[in-house]
Amino acid sequence: MNIDDVKNICVVGAGNMGHQISLHCAIKGFNTVCTDISEDQLKKAESFVDSYLPGRVKKGKMTEDEAKAARSRIRFTSDLKDAAKDSDYVIEAAIEVLALKRKVFADLDKIAPPHAILATNSSAIVSSRIADVTNRKDKVLNLHFFNPALVMKLVEVVQGPHVSDETTKISMDLCRRLDKVSVHVKKEVKGFLLNRILLRIFEEAEWMLEMDVASVEDIDKACVFGAGHPMGPFTLMDLTGLDLAYTMGLESFRETGDPAQLPKPHLVEHFVKGEFGQKTGKGWYDYTKK
Ligand SMILES: NC(=O)c1ccc[n+]([C@@H]2O[C@H](COP(=O)([O-])OP(=O)(O)OC[C@H]3O[C@@H](n4cnc5c(N)ncnc54)[C@H](O)[C@@H]3O)[C@@H](O)[C@H]2O)c1
């Protein structure tokens, strides 16, 4: 198999990441099916597509014909079987829970054609913790997009010990066709490449808040105006989701047994109140006032 054999992409999960990954695939010429267990999320994803594409035309970023063609290449369904049965490449972007991902991959292994590559967009769960539920371990890998997936260029292609060179090559080629910049992560290390660096920053920012060294606003300002980051760590967490940061902290604790990995008190406070960041209107910042 090579990249020319990849025509149909299935994206599992229509949330923060999944709806944008699937739309991006459709814009770049792939027949794309986006699936989710939540009809509500699918509706939201579809209405995003229906407002995004005309918006791009209005801004002169896309012709009307290009927008129409992209729209015709994407569809939404809550039926996993229907979504994955003809896929050449699957990108799973469901919630960050290991047991759930293992179940999804076991199902996908039965549904998707034998040649299909099954990738997970997980931020922290390495594919070797999932691949053993399939009969195609060599075709199961991490393909890690960044948020917002329509905008961010970087994609990490993580080659665990079970992943074949062919799967890695096709995945890197797919990124090129998606007009992304891919990096080959040669080992399954925690946090992969960029998040490993960013997590150190998040962690230090949260400790400084816990110790009352500075406010959320001032920690963000320091990173933006002193280090030249496009946004501070708290603003970035609001964008990526505090629920994700919380879950990642818990998963990390379960993996290492290190209490320092547990979500910090301020993060827990926001989490229990359902303040997950931009998607709920409130997180470290209050977006309902803007
Ligand atoms: N949010 C980010 O910034 C970011 C960045 C890179 C990678 N990721 C990873 O992408 C994945 C998705 O994250 P997100 O932020 O989009 O989460 P999200 O909570 O916004 O969306 C997850 C979606 O998965 C759906 N879902 C739950 N169970 C499902 C199932 N069995 N089958 C199909 N869909 C199911 C939910 O209904 C929801 O719509 C996670 O693994 C996360 O680690 C997230």
Side-chain angles (χ1 to χ4, degrees):
M1 181 176 166
N2 66 53
I3 187 61
D4 293 325
D5 301 316
V6 179
K7 310 243 182 286
N8 301 327
I9 294 182
C10 166
V11 178
V12 182
N16 229 337
M17 296 301 291
H19 80 285
Q20 294 212 4
I21 294 172
S22 44
L23 176 54
H24 189 74
C25 292
I27 290 172
K28 295 298 171 187
F30 293 93
N31 300 318
T32 310
V33 189
C34 180
T35 181
D36 200 294
I37 48 164
S38 157
E39 293 286 355
D40 202 39
Q41 283 286 28
L42 287 170
K43 261 188 219 135
K44 269 192 212 157
E46 191 155 14
S47 64
F48 174 81
V49 168
D50 287 330
S51 69
Y52 180 86
L53 291 171
R56 298 299 282 172
V57 175
K58 227 182 236 170
K59 282 186 187 155
K61 305 276 184 195
M62 207 183 253
T63 67
E64 210 157 326
D65 284 350
E66 284 166 343
K68 261 190 201 152
R71 185 65 186 90
S72 72
R73 284 191 291 264
I74 187 167
R75 65 184 181 89
F76 300 86
T77 174
S78 57
D79 181 351
L80 183 68
K81 207 168 191 175
D82 172 35
K85 68 180 186 328
D86 298 320
S87 57
D88 304 307
Y89 203 108
V90 179
I91 303 168
E92 172 275 319
I95 49 171
E96 187 74 346
V97 174
L98 176 62
L100 184 134
K101 289 192 191 287
R102 285 175 66 81
K103 167 82 173 75
V104 168
F105 273 73
D107 291 344
L108 284 171
D109 191 44
K110 289 185 199 108
I111 300 167
H115 70 270
I117 291 174
L118 310 180
T120 174
N121 182 52
S122 172
S123 305
I125 301 170
V126 291
S127 71
S128 58
R129 298 181 74 199
I130 303 173
D132 62 291
V133 300
T134 74
N135 286 312
R136 58 180 100 189
K137 282 191 209 160
D138 61 312
K139 294 187 174 70
V140 177
L141 82 166
N142 289 84
L143 190 74
H144 187 218
F145 289 79
F146 288 79
N147 192 2
L150 279 160
V151 179
M152 299 302 282
K153 287 289 238 184
L154 182 67
V155 179
E156 293 172 339
V157 179
V158 186
Q159 185 173 17
H162 55 288
V163 183
S164 70
D165 288 343
E166 181 181 291
T167 298
T168 307
K169 181 174 183 328
I170 294 169
S171 302
M172 305 280 287
D173 288 345
L174 174 65
C175 292
R176 254 187 295 281
R177 297 229 169 146
L178 290 174
D179 198 22
K180 297 288 186 194
V181 174
S182 61
V183 288
H184 178 197
V185 182
K186 297 185 278 179
K187 283 184 183 168
E188 282 191 334
V189 290
K190 192 170 146 49
F192 310 139
L193 201 157
L194 182 61
N195 278 351
R196 202 177 164 92
I197 297 167
L198 288 179
L199 280 172
R200 297 291 172 276
I201 297 173
F202 282 177
E203 206 171 278
E204 204 45 54
E206 283 186 66
W207 277 127
M208 282 198 288
L209 184 70
E210 295 303 332
M211 294 188 295
D212 203 22
V213 172
S215 66
V216 162
E217 290 80 1
D218 281 349
I219 296 168
D220 272 359
K221 267 189 218 163
C223 291
V224 172
F225 296 103
H229 294 181
M231 65 183 88
F234 292 108
T235 307
L236 182 54
M237 251 187 275
D238 271 355
L239 180 72
T240 56
L242 272 62
D243 50 335
L244 180 63
Y246 177 87
T247 316
M248 281 171 68
L250 272 192
E251 286 282 344
S252 201
F253 169 68
R254 284 190 190 116
E255 214 176 296
T256 60
D258 175 6
Q261 304 289 320
L262 282 167
K264 316 273 177 294
H266 277 92
L267 178 60
V268 175
E269 266 173 43
H270 287 297
F271 180 80
V272 295
K273 286 192 219 154
E275 294 171 0
F276 298 162
Q278 284 190 19
K279 61 182 164 187
T280 58
K282 239 178 176 184
W284 296 109
Y285 294 92
D286 187 347
Y287 299 88
T288 57
K289 289 181 186 155
K290 282 187 186 163

